Amino acid sequence: MNTKHIILAALLIVVSTLDATAQRRRCTVEVDTVPQLERKYVDSLLAVRRQVDSLLAVSSDRSYAADNRYYRMFVPLTFYHDVSRNRFALDADTADTAIDDALMSVYFRRPDLVHSTQSKIDEAGPLLSTKPKKAAAASDIVEFAKPKANEADFDMNDIVISRPNFWTFNWRFDVDLAQNYYSSNWAGRGENNYTTREYLRFYAKYDNKKRVFFENMIEATLGFNSSKTDTVHSVRTNASDLHYKGNFNVRAVKAWSYSLQFDAKTPLLRVFDSNSNHVKTDFASPLTLNVSVGMRTNFKFFKNKLNGDLNIGAFSYNYRYCDRADIVGSYGIKNGEHSLQDYGSRVDLNFNIAFIKNLTWRVESYFYSSYSRTEAQIVNKMDFRFNKYIATHLDFYSRFDDSRQRDDHHGYWQFRDYLSFGLSVGL
């Protein structure tokens, strides 16, 4: 019996020991692990609450929820006018002052970082509205086309239909005056004289914008001078020209057109030699007429700074008439006759150069050949305009004609130049 009691007592002691150990383990979990997790979770909630409370505290000081004063620190750096103005303000906001101080520091230390200014932003204007617009409902085509009952009546007789005007016009008028005076004791001597020159040019063009265009140009030049050395004439004509040029064109392909060209020239008044009554030229003495048929093209280069036209007359008829019998030989006409006519080919090239604003250079040239004689002329006209009404003109003529008598010095070439300064008006 004693042995059984001893074994039973030992078992009771072991069971009680294990139960106490288990109870201690359960108490450790309940006291140590759970409170630590709870504290960490509560601490995170408190941190979030404090962050939210700080944002609410800042926004509660303003009349609106979001504070947009700090946007200047994040947009591309711009020079604002109120930054320097607020430096002298007495009632500036603390937040505004801090932003202004930061911007002013950058303005002074790193001006290269400034991308724009407030003036440029003001010029660009406010931002466009980004609100979506409601699309209007599509109207019924039947309702749209249906006549309205309240439409105003009108009289068909009040409608006037005008025909398009296919004509364009321009003109130019120049007046040049010159005077030379020398005293009797002038070392180089000299000749007192007065010179005047008048130039009129009229241009008209018809173009129906389809196939036909017709150009007309009439120009007249008159020049007079007086000199004490000329005892025969108190006033003598030194320039007298009347010129007409017409070109009838029918467009063919691209810039080329079929062309019928008329060119006529004659003096207007008598021109005398100095100290002589011998007449050098007179009206219809000579009179030249040229009619050519061929092709024509217009060209433009260097952004229209160089433009002109080229006319190639494969067939050309040339007629020359001189009414005065005593000067027919000067114009290649045989003595006892008054006219000369022949056939050949002719090429006309005219262009304008305007690379400088106030300086224009125009070249007018033609070449005619009857395959037995040759006639050519090149005219250079340079105009330098000081303003709308005052200009300087330089005209240089060079002419070749082998039907006349050959000169010992110039051969078949003839030259003439004219430099003037005066009034110039036009349209």
Side-chain angles (χ1 to χ4, degrees):
M1 292 296 292
N2 292 335
T3 304
K4 293 180 179 179
H5 290 294
I6 292 171
I7 293 172
L8 181 61
L11 291 172
L12 291 173
I13 293 170
V14 172
V15 171
S16 63
T17 303
L18 293 173
D19 183 63
T21 303
Q23 289 181 357
R24 284 197 300 270
R25 288 180 180 176
R26 286 197 300 268
C27 294
T28 303
V29 172
E30 294 176 357
V31 174
D32 295 335
T33 304
V34 175
Q36 289 180 1
L37 295 175
E38 290 178 351
R39 280 199 303 272
K40 291 181 179 179
Y41 179 69
V42 171
D43 290 341
S44 64
L45 291 177
L46 292 175
V48 173
R49 181 178 181 180
R50 284 194 297 269
Q51 184 178 4
V52 173
D53 291 341
S54 63
L55 294 175
L56 292 176
V58 174
S59 62
S60 63
D61 295 336
R62 311 293 294 183
S63 60
Y64 44 86
D67 191 349
N68 59 3
R69 293 177 296 174
Y70 297 93
Y71 79 94
R72 295 184 177 182
M73 307 298 294
F74 303 98
V75 299
L77 191 57
T78 305
F79 177 78
Y80 299 98
H81 298 162
D82 57 347
V83 172
S84 58
R85 183 171 60 250
N86 291 341
R87 300 285 292 181
F88 302 95
L90 300 177
D91 56 348
D93 194 336
T94 304
D96 292 337
T97 303
I99 298 172
D100 294 345
D101 291 341
L103 292 174
M104 187 63 70
S105 176
V106 178
Y107 292 163
F108 278 109
R109 297 181 181 181
R110 293 297 303 275
D112 56 301
L113 299 178
V114 180
H115 295 282
S116 183
T117 63
Q118 186 174 346
S119 299
K120 293 182 179 180
I121 296 177
D122 294 341
E123 291 179 1
L127 295 176
L128 298 177
S129 176
T130 57
K131 295 181 179 179
K133 296 182 178 180
K134 295 182 179 180
S139 58
D140 189 358
I141 188 63
V142 177
E143 294 295 332
F144 181 76
K146 184 174 64 176
K148 297 180 181 180
N150 296 328
E151 288 184 352
D153 296 332
F154 58 90
D155 189 359
M156 293 294 295
N157 295 327
D158 296 336
I159 299 177
V160 178
I161 301 176
S162 301
R163 296 183 59 186
N165 185 12
F166 297 123
W167 286 94
T168 56
F169 305 92
N170 65 62
W171 59 274
R172 171 182 161 185
F173 179 66
D174 300 336
V175 177
D176 302 320
L177 302 174
Q179 176 190 10
N180 291 315
Y181 171 76
Y182 300 89
S183 62
S184 58
N185 59 346
W186 183 257
R189 298 286 179 179
E191 178 182 348
N192 300 337
N193 62 79
Y194 299 90
T195 304
T196 178
R197 176 179 177 268
E198 293 77 29
Y199 172 80
L200 175 63
R201 181 179 182 272
F202 181 78
Y203 175 85
K205 180 179 179 180
Y206 173 87
D207 188 355
N208 63 1
K209 305 301 180 181
K210 293 182 179 179
R211 296 196 62 187
V212 177
F213 65 97
F214 183 31
E215 294 181 334
N216 299 270
M217 187 273 297
I218 300 177
E219 60 181 355
T221 305
L222 286 176
F224 305 93
N225 70 341
S226 65
S227 175
K228 291 185 177 181
T229 58
D230 189 349
T231 59
V232 178
H233 311 97
S234 58
V235 177
R236 185 168 61 92
T237 305
N238 61 356
S240 175
D241 298 302
L242 178 63
H243 181 204
Y244 167 78
K245 190 172 185 179
N247 207 308
F248 182 81
N249 303 270
V250 178
R251 291 182 175 90
V253 290
K254 294 185 178 180
W256 288 92
S257 59
Y258 304 107
S259 173
L260 175 61
Q261 179 177 275
F262 303 88
D263 193 350
K265 299 178 183 179
T266 184
L268 279 173
L269 303 176
R270 294 180 181 179
V271 177
F272 297 92
D273 286 331
S274 180
N275 284 315
S276 173
N277 287 324
H278 178 261
V279 177
K280 297 173 62 177
T281 61
D282 196 357
F283 183 76
S285 296
L287 168 65
T288 59
L289 173 64
N290 182 275
V291 181
S292 59
V293 179
M295 300 289 291
R296 175 182 171 173
T297 182
N298 297 332
F299 56 85
K300 296 179 181 179
F301 300 104
F302 307 109
K303 297 181 179 180
N304 205 26
K305 293 182 178 180
L306 172 61
N307 62 83
D309 60 84
L310 172 66
N311 189 87
I312 302 176
F315 174 79
S316 179
Y317 168 74
N318 191 80
Y319 176 78
R320 184 181 299 175
Y321 174 81
C322 184
D323 185 63
R324 287 184 163 272
D326 54 336
I327 58 175
V328 293
S330 301
Y331 300 101
I333 303 175
K334 297 180 180 180
N335 291 330
E337 298 182 2
H338 291 274
S339 62
L340 170 68
Q341 56 183 343
D342 49 25
Y343 305 90
S345 300
R346 172 169 168 152
V347 177
D348 291 74
L349 176 61
N350 308 305
F351 58 89
N352 298 290
I353 302 176
F355 288 103
I356 303 177
K357 181 179 180 181
N358 295 332
L359 179 64
T360 58
W361 177 17
R362 176 169 177 79
V363 177
E364 301 174 357
S365 61
Y366 73 85
F367 175 85
Y368 170 79
S369 175
S370 64
Y371 307 105
S372 61
R373 73 175 187 91
T374 302
E375 178 182 334
Q377 178 174 285
I378 303 175
V379 181
N380 292 269
K381 297 182 178 181
M382 302 184 68
D383 297 336
F384 182 82
R385 304 191 71 88
F386 294 93
N387 54 40
K388 186 177 180 180
Y389 302 104
I390 304 299
T392 295
H393 312 287
L394 173 61
D395 298 346
F396 183 78
Y397 296 77
S398 56
R399 180 183 176 86
F400 179 89
D401 188 355
D402 58 5
S403 65
R404 299 190 178 190
Q405 296 180 357
R406 180 183 176 87
D407 184 78
D408 296 335
H409 182 65
H410 298 292
Y412 295 115
W413 283 97
Q414 305 170 41
F415 301 98
R416 169 190 168 192
D417 70 274
Y418 186 84
L419 176 64
S420 63
F421 174 83
L423 178 67
S424 177
V425 295
L427 176 63

